[in-house]
Amino acid sequence: MAKKLGFCFGVEHAIDMAQKLLVERKKVYCLGPLIHNSQVVERLAHQGLQVVENLEQITPAADEKDTPTVLIRSHGCRPELLQKIKAKGFQLVDATCILVKRAQKLVQELHQQGYQVIVVGDPNHPEVQGVVGYAPEVIVVNGEEDISRLPPHGRLAVISQTTHSAEDFGRLVGYIATRGYEEMKVVNTICRETARRQASAVELCRLVDVMFVLGSRHSANTGELAQLCRRKGVDTYHLQDWQEFKPQYVVGKGTAGITAGASTPGWIIQEFAENLQHF
Ligand code: F3S
């Protein structure tokens, strides 16, 4: 097992908040799945958490006691959405991870200081979609092909999606630097939790013949972990849980390693490890 794996403090905090709210309040909504793990989302739905796509899907309160509560997930959201929730008279509970909040604040401040803000990350990831809302004209760079969209000169400030790989962030910052900007300010917004999981996975790759990376296929940090293990030359399988395990994955292998993304609950990891050992 990797030394560091599974739930990060941001995800744990969001789940704790949701569970507390579900005990205290009647109508609790979340815009999009609370975390990128369908098993956890299903459990919370069982306890009453309703997942909606937009605020229009929430029925307004009939009386004060009936006021809907909207929970913001750890990925955060655009600032307009927070205002809209309040304007609709809904109760707002913000479970945005403190590290995502830091990135949001930085985007705002760097723009005010006159920088063209660049976010290295996946433009379709909810965290990035939220972060870019904190300043006008923020540019998202996901690969070398996006660099041609940057302005030819000026003062740039570059931050990263919190779950991006440090290697890739560094590589893209290097490419951007070759364009010869007068000033480049780089703020490392990569979450240490992600980096720690990645370092533990790399350490484990040296000792095993096959790696299992557990977590949802929508989880960016789980995907990054799997890619990292593959780059280290180890046969790697990104699986959601034990149900996806196939015996051929371990044919001819002596030692198996297990790691898991920041949104993978302990019980999925435990179940997988026990079954694999048994197998
Ligand atoms: Fe926050 Fe890092 Fe987790 S940004 S949600 S602690 S992976």
Side-chain angles (χ1 to χ4, degrees), residues 8-11 74 97-100 127 162-163 191 193-194 221 262:
C8 61
F9 63 80
V11 164
S74 46
C97 173
I98 47 162
L99 298 178
V100 176
E127 175 194 322
T162 56
T163 48
C191 164
E193 291 273 321
T194 307
N221 72 87

Side-chain angles (χ1 to χ4, degrees), residues 50-61:
Q50 302 187 53
V51 178
V52 288
E53 296 290 316
N54 52 56
L55 296 180
E56 283 62 46
Q57 292 176 330
I58 302 176
T59 331

Side-chain angles (χ1 to χ4, degrees), residues 52 118 200:
V52 288
I118 314 290
S200 300

Side-chain angles (χ1 to χ4, degrees), residues 62-277:
D63 57 62
E64 221 175 279
K65 277 192 228 136
D66 195 39
T67 308
T69 300
V70 181
L71 177 66
I72 301 296
R73 52 192 179 168
S74 46
H75 295 314
C77 67
R78 295 176 74 90
E80 310 89 86
L81 188 63
L82 300 177
Q83 282 151 17
K84 222 171 142 191
I85 293 169
K86 287 185 202 152
K88 280 192 172 272
F90 300 154
Q91 301 237 24
L92 172 69
V93 178
D94 192 354
T96 307
C97 173
I98 47 162
L99 298 178
V100 176
K101 274 223 179 293
R102 173 178 175 246
Q104 294 172 342
K105 205 162 155 250
L106 272 166
V107 166
Q108 209 169 18
E109 288 171 359
L110 292 164
H111 169 74
Q112 280 161 2
Q113 289 163 20
Y115 290 101
Q116 163 64 60
V117 183
I118 314 290
V119 177
V120 172
D122 174 3
N124 298 315
H125 192 278
E127 175 194 322
V128 175
Q129 286 174 341
V131 162
V132 298
Y134 282 77
E137 286 147 31
V138 175
I139 301 173
V140 181
V141 169
N142 199 19
E144 287 151 51
E145 63 285 0
D146 296 323
I147 290 174
S148 57
R149 290 196 291 112
L150 302 187
H153 40 74
R155 298 166 70 217
L156 296 193
V158 192
I159 68 157
S160 172
Q161 180 179 338
T162 56
T163 48
H164 212 72
S165 91
E167 273 177 31
D168 200 47
F169 181 52
R171 194 177 54 86
L172 287 170
V173 166
Y175 272 116
I176 297 172
T178 60
R179 291 169 59 101
Y181 291 100
E182 294 92 82
E183 187 186 340
M184 268 179 74
K185 181 168 180 149
V186 180
V187 186
N188 185 3
T189 49
I190 294 176
C191 164
R192 285 244 192 109
E193 291 273 321
T194 307
R196 282 192 194 116
R197 274 156 193 71
Q198 290 174 352
S200 300
V202 169
E203 205 183 304
L204 191 57
C205 280
R206 292 194 202 108
L207 311 171
V208 302
D209 309 314
V210 56
M211 273 295 274
F212 292 103
V213 182
L214 305 177
S216 161
R217 268 182 264 292
H218 301 295
S219 157
N221 72 87
T222 312
E224 291 276 0
L225 271 178
Q227 271 181 30
L228 191 65
C229 296
R230 280 186 201 113
R231 282 206 294 272
K232 296 293 159 198
V234 181
D235 282 349
T236 302
Y237 298 96
H238 177 174
L239 308 180
Q240 310 216 83
D241 52 27
W242 178 252
Q243 317 311 321
E244 294 187 353
F245 174 81
K246 291 201 174 75
Q248 65 257 38
Y249 296 158
V250 290
V251 171
K253 312 283 186 196
T255 316
I258 300 174
T259 185
S263 49
T264 310
W267 51 270
I268 286 188
I269 304 169
Q270 204 58 38
E271 182 195 59
F272 191 93
E274 280 168 14
N275 285 328
L276 186 62
Q277 222 156 11

